[in-house]
Amino acid sequence: MGVLKKLAAAAGLLAAAGVGETLYFYNRTMKRGNAKTERTTKMSGTDWEKYFPLMEERKGYVLAQSHRDVYLTSFDGLKLHATYFPGTAPFPKKAVICFHGYTGEGLSNHIAIADYFLKRGYAMLMPDARAHGGSEGEYIGFGCLDRKDALAWINWMIGECGEHVNILLHGTSMGGATVLMTSGLELPANVKGIVSDCGFTSPREVFTHVLNHMYHLPAFPAIQGADLLNRKLAGYGMDECNAKYEVRKAKVPILFIHGSADTFVPCSMCHEIYDNCASPKRRLIIEGAAHAESYYKDMAAYEKALTEFAEEVMDTENGEADGDLESRNMREGSV
């Protein structure tokens, strides 16, 4: 009996440790207020300080353009916030919706690339993801819930700009996963193209990678426990929506961008999602770029790829349908 009691006590300690590890991981990762930008920045491994002067320079121009706060109510009753730049035309022909990354905010995270889009005549919408910025919510959606919010913002943009507007979706990191997961939904015909910058497959897979390769910890039981908690508290499983499966249903052309030196969301995830993508696709790998650094690391290559992609998918005046893209430059293409 003494041995059995000791084994039972040890099992109890292990179970308690597992519960403690799960709660610690979940509260730090999935809940608003506990998920810290500083921690995310450190884990990403990107040296952002060297890009601050560029961001400040572009911030002046961007904020001088006409813009306003806009709101909508999500499918589950949250008040969501975005910043909207209408551009110069009363009814713009082209618009972009930009989705930010984990612990970020719409406007602040897109200051640099907003310069690119606004100077090219786009109307621009920059939502704050649920549980971020000016949007309500306690639990982070990690693309799984955010894709439903993205669809609501797409419909908002059509209502604002008119039924003939052509829309490009752009997302970085969690935002990249969001737009890839959105690709599997029935989208309005106005959505002409999707750009995913360092998007991941699913929260379960990216957190498993972080625990295994950055913290050298096993994913069990933290991930499994967090999955159970998240189903109960946030309403979705951590592998319930996986970008590599959603793109198998995609009909809209997709441009994949990733940094070869990304240790936070490994570049292998980009290749895996790309290989599963059913729609016309292109891929740009920026050599030496860390997480979410691709635009800054090689701005010329990034903007060239964006411009070429947008010219193809957003051009509806030359009589060429989106379905013809695969017979052009986008057949299993890399740029």
Side-chain angles (χ1 to χ4, degrees):
M1 288 295 293
V3 173
L4 290 176
K5 284 183 178 180
K6 288 180 180 178
L7 287 174
L13 287 172
L14 288 173
V19 170
E21 182 183 341
T22 294
L23 290 174
Y24 178 74
F25 171 79
Y26 188 83
N27 286 326
R28 277 170 56 97
T29 306
M30 307 299 292
K31 294 186 69 175
R32 182 186 201 124
N34 295 338
K36 303 295 185 183
T37 303
E38 297 79 9
R39 188 165 64 244
T40 305
T41 302
K42 184 177 180 180
M43 286 192 299
S44 73
T46 306
D47 178 13
W48 288 110
E49 287 191 11
K50 60 186 176 184
Y51 301 120
F52 286 165
L54 171 68
M55 293 178 189
E56 282 299 314
E57 177 187 339
R58 293 199 167 185
K59 181 178 179 180
Y61 167 78
V62 171
L63 294 183
Q65 309 309 304
S66 175
H67 62 281
R68 68 180 192 271
D69 295 318
V70 296
Y71 299 88
L72 60 74
T73 302
S74 71
F75 69 95
D76 53 351
L78 299 178
K79 185 178 182 181
L80 303 180
H81 166 263
T83 306
Y84 177 59
F85 288 77
T88 55
F91 296 101
K93 293 182 179 179
K94 57 185 181 179
V96 61
I97 308 176
C98 291
F99 298 90
H100 64 79
Y102 177 57
T103 71
E105 294 185 11
L107 180 58
S108 63
N109 281 196
H110 294 113
I111 281 292
I113 204 164
D115 181 278
Y116 169 87
F117 285 117
L118 293 176
K119 287 180 177 177
R120 285 162 178 79
Y122 285 81
M124 191 172 185
L125 184 70
M126 292 172 273
D128 290 338
R130 57 176 52 221
H132 290 75
S135 292
E136 293 180 346
E138 184 177 2
Y139 300 100
I140 297 171
F142 284 103
C144 301
L145 297 181
D146 303 305
R147 65 178 182 150
K148 299 179 182 179
D149 300 334
L151 185 57
W153 285 119
I154 290 166
N155 288 325
W156 182 93
M157 185 69 96
I158 295 169
E160 178 69 22
C161 298
E163 61 182 16
H164 299 296
V165 67
N166 295 321
I167 298 173
L168 189 69
L169 305 181
H170 181 285
T172 303
S173 192
M174 188 180 78
T178 296
V179 296
L180 292 174
M181 293 175 184
T182 303
S183 75
L185 301 175
E186 287 295 325
L187 298 176
N190 305 73
V191 179
K192 302 298 183 182
I194 292 173
V195 181
S196 172
D197 183 341
C198 61
F200 53 75
T201 50
S202 74
R204 182 188 183 108
E205 292 185 357
V206 77
F207 289 140
T208 296
H209 167 79
V210 168
L211 287 173
N212 290 168
H213 297 279
M214 299 184 72
Y215 289 96
H216 306 291
L217 293 171
F220 180 84
I223 297 296
Q224 289 75 8
D227 181 72
L228 292 173
L229 274 176
N230 211 52
R231 288 178 186 275
K232 183 176 179 60
L233 298 174
Y236 71 96
M238 295 178 69
D239 203 35
E240 183 175 301
C241 187
N242 191 309
K244 67 186 173 188
Y245 302 134
E246 292 304 309
V247 297
R248 293 177 182 177
K249 300 178 282 186
K251 298 176 183 176
V252 176
I254 301 177
L255 169 61
F256 295 87
I257 302 175
H258 218 104
S260 68
D262 192 336
T263 57
F264 195 36
V265 177
C267 195
S268 59
M269 284 193 179
C270 175
H271 299 313
E272 186 177 13
I273 303 169
Y274 179 90
D275 289 342
N276 277 277
C277 183
S279 63
K281 55 193 176 183
R282 301 186 77 173
R283 175 171 47 190
L284 172 67
I285 305 301
I286 301 295
E287 291 300 320
H291 187 63
E293 190 187 19
S294 292
Y295 182 64
Y296 302 89
K297 187 75 172 180
D298 193 342
M299 194 174 294
Y302 196 113
E303 292 190 349
K304 180 176 182 290
L306 262 185
T307 300
E308 291 176 353
F309 181 72
E311 285 176 350
E312 291 174 340
V313 303
M314 302 289 272
D315 184 5
T316 59
E317 296 180 353
N318 61 5
E320 184 175 55
D322 291 341
D324 295 330
L325 285 169
E326 197 164 5
S327 64
R328 293 178 62 196
N329 299 335
M330 300 193 56
R331 186 192 303 267
E332 296 295 314
S334 294
V335 291

